[in-house]
Amino acid sequence: MLEDTVCIVCGGGHGLGEETAVAMAEAGASVVVNDLGVDVSGEGSDEQPAEETVERIEAAGGEATAHFGDVADLDYTEELIADTVAEYGAVHGIVNFAGVLRDGMLFKMSEEQFDTVVDVHLKGHFSLLRNAASHWRQRHKAEGGFDRERSFVCLSSGVSVGNVGQANYSAAKAGILGLMRTAALELDQYDVRVNAMWPTAVTRMTEDLPAMAAADPDDLGPQHVTGVPVFLSSAAAEGVTGCTLAVAGDSVSIVSDPERERSLSTNSDDGWSAAELAERWAELTDGFETTRLNSGW
Ligand SMILES: NC(=O)c1ccc[n+]([C@@H]2O[C@H](COP(=O)([O-])OP(=O)(O)OC[C@H]3O[C@@H](n4cnc5c(N)ncnc54)[C@H](O)[C@@H]3O)[C@@H](O)[C@H]2O)c1
């Protein structure tokens, strides 16, 4: 499905990114594998993980190049895109799996814990999308349009709904959805699709979570997720943009966008007063749950 296609897979040194890079190469893509080689908390750095993914791809007869760097660094992501174009002539698809965790309850979460997670996930997506947007806009103008749509796949999470102990991560993953929808709106005119995924799989990031304790890696392994990014990066997904797809094991779902559930107009010319809202609260919310303590995990 990805013959004559050039894809950049960020965070491709482990887990979902590694399996997706391998699946993309199996589907015929030339793959540039980015990774910073950090541990789950974002400590350290190592060129080896990206190189090992490239070795896996090459051993299976595929085409890939390793690229070492931090997705949250705008100068680096500009270089990543420029080097990919220099090596393979174009960038048709980008998927960003780069991610770290620094869990903690809000009452004791440090500024560093918050900033590190928001930086890698949310700013990492901004950094890649900003430079991809600039590159694709310029190429689209220079070439008078594209022969086929370009694709960007963002990594959000069901935890964007909320999860105890993950205020930093859920904020970043919800922010990625807003960024994705705006990017989809802005880049549609340049034939660029932008979508998001909510994956669930056993990786080093999730293997210790209580919810994963009973999971069988054969049923919930990262290899079950790769069909979605390969599909979204292929011509089969033409016109699909602004969507969020959840994928876990044998299930794929389309996720709803936030929308107004019910609206009321005030009876006053001066706008809603707190007193009128209190009086008509039941009218607005009848049939809706208003104690919303949802967890996306
Ligand atoms: N595994 C799941 O169930 C699950 C669920 C929801 C969302 N996700 C998301 O999917 C993505 C991949 O998760 P995973 O489970 O494969 O994790 P993982 O830890 O196995 O892989 C993450 C990779 O990102 C790399 N990385 C981290 N910071 C980087 C940076 N600044 N620049 C470049 N590379 C960097 C790491 O070195 C690692 O190779 C993450 O965004 C994660 O939040 C995973």
Side-chain angles (χ1 to χ4, degrees), residues 32-36 50 54 65-69 76 79-80 83-84:
V32 174
V33 181
N34 151 273
D35 207 278
L36 190 57
V54 168
T65 304
H67 212 285
F68 173 77
Y76 168 72
E79 190 183 305
L80 171 65
D83 287 353
T84 303

Side-chain angles (χ1 to χ4, degrees), residues 74 77-78 81 123-136 152 179 183 187:
L74 273 91
T77 54
E78 188 177 13
I81 291 167
K123 189 172 167 201
H125 275 82
F126 164 69
S127 162
L128 282 160
L129 268 167
R130 187 250 173 266
N131 284 318
S134 162
H135 169 72
W136 280 327
F152 193 105
L179 177 61
L187 298 184

Side-chain angles (χ1 to χ4, degrees), residues 25-207:
E26 269 172 13
S30 299
V31 184
V32 174
V33 181
N34 151 273
D35 207 278
L36 190 57
V38 295
D39 68 14
V40 174
S41 70
E43 296 290 351
S45 68
D46 188 354
E47 300 192 14
Q48 205 62 16
E51 284 166 6
E52 284 171 5
T53 301
V54 168
E55 282 164 21
R56 255 186 89 184
I57 290 171
E58 288 176 343
E63 173 63 38
T65 304
H67 212 285
F68 173 77
D70 177 357
V71 294
D73 177 340
L74 273 91
D75 290 339
Y76 168 72
T77 54
E78 188 177 13
E79 190 183 305
L80 171 65
I81 291 167
D83 287 353
T84 303
V85 174
E87 175 92 15
Y88 294 111
V91 181
H92 299 105
I94 301 176
V95 190
N96 180 23
F97 291 96
V100 300
L101 287 183
R102 297 224 178 157
D103 293 354
M105 298 298 280
L106 256 182
F107 68 86
K108 60 178 178 182
M109 181 173 285
S110 68
E111 190 173 353
E112 192 198 17
Q113 270 174 294
F114 185 83
D115 286 350
T116 302
V117 168
V118 170
D119 204 51
V120 175
H121 290 274
L122 183 54
K123 189 172 167 201
H125 275 82
F126 164 69
S127 162
L128 282 160
L129 268 167
R130 187 250 173 266
N131 284 318
S134 162
H135 169 72
W136 280 327
R137 175 177 176 273
Q138 191 239 325
R139 293 308 316 150
H140 192 270
K141 286 189 170 188
E143 294 170 22
F146 287 141
D147 54 342
R148 60 189 141 142
E149 292 175 348
R150 295 336 189 216
S151 163
F152 193 105
V153 181
C154 301
L155 264 293
S156 179
S157 164
V159 167
S160 57
V161 171
N163 195 31
V164 171
Q166 292 194 306
N168 48 4
Y169 184 72
S170 60
K173 290 307 198 186
I176 287 167
L177 293 179
L179 177 61
M180 177 274 289
R181 294 188 195 104
T182 296
L185 287 170
E186 290 190 9
L187 298 184
D188 186 54
Q189 63 186 310
Y190 306 119
D191 299 323
V192 178
R193 307 188 292 270
V194 189
N195 294 286
M197 286 170 60
W198 283 8
T200 304
V202 181
T203 66
R204 65 180 196 163
M205 189 183 267
T206 56
E207 62 192 357

Side-chain angles (χ1 to χ4, degrees), residues 15 44 74 108 119 133 184 194 209 219 231 244 280-281 284:
L74 273 91
K108 60 178 178 182
D119 204 51
V194 189
L209 295 175
D219 297 333
F231 165 75
T244 303
R280 298 179 64 196
W281 182 246
L284 178 64

